[in-house]
């Protein structure tokens, strides 16, 4: 089975397709922006990458969301809830973690079908 890599760099690929499964690297927004703005940017990046793989947000299987501070859960969820169609809602986990830099407030990792 062939493996397709999208937006590959020296350290990682932004998306990898294996068979009919799409794996996205963790997506982050502009450092220093609000949780709302970062979440909006991340979701836009996810849509762009899924389109590049021949998929879309209705085919997301799982989402793992990391927040730098769980106090931002409601703010992130307000953006997420407007973006996700309830009939196509993926399995999801949300947790708190130190992200790559203190200016990142949200990171989302996606696995989707193609």
């Amino acid at each position: 089975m062939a493996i397709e890599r999208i937006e590959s760099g020296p350290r990682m690929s932004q998306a990898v397709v294996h068979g009919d499964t799409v794996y996205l690297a963790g997506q982050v927004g502009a450092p220093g922006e609000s949780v709302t703005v970062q979440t909006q940017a991340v979701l836009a990046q996810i849509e762009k990458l899924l389109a590049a793989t021949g998929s879309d947000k209705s085919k997301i299987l799982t989402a793992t969301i990391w927040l730098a501070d769980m106090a931002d859960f409601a703010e992130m969820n307000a953006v997420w809830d407007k973006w996700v169609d309830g009939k196509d809602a993926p399995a999801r986990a949300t947790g708190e973690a130190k992200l790559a830099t203190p200016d990142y407030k949200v990171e989302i990792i996606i696995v989707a079908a193609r």
Side-chain angles (χ1 to χ4, degrees), residues 77-94:
N77 251 351
V79 178
W80 175 269
D81 289 346
K82 290 177 185 174
W83 185 74
V84 170
D85 182 343
K87 69 179 180 65
D88 295 322
R92 189 184 105 172
T94 305

Side-chain angles (χ1 to χ4, degrees), residues 6-79:
I6 309 283
E7 294 187 25
S8 292
R11 186 174 296 140
M12 59 187 267
S13 298
Q14 290 298 315
V16 175
V17 180
H18 182 253
D20 288 328
T21 306
V22 177
Y23 303 89
L24 299 187
Q27 300 298 306
V28 294
E33 293 289 345
S34 69
V35 171
T36 295
V37 171
Q38 286 191 25
T39 304
Q40 290 167 336
V42 167
L43 297 176
Q45 288 170 216
I46 287 169
E47 285 194 62
K48 176 184 156 253
L49 287 168
L50 288 174
T53 67
S55 186
D56 63 62
K57 69 182 184 179
S58 73
K59 297 176 183 171
I60 295 174
L61 304 171
T62 66
T64 303
I65 301 172
W66 293 110
L67 295 170
D69 186 342
M70 283 303 286
D72 295 328
F73 183 75
E75 187 177 347
M76 177 278 301
N77 251 351
V79 178

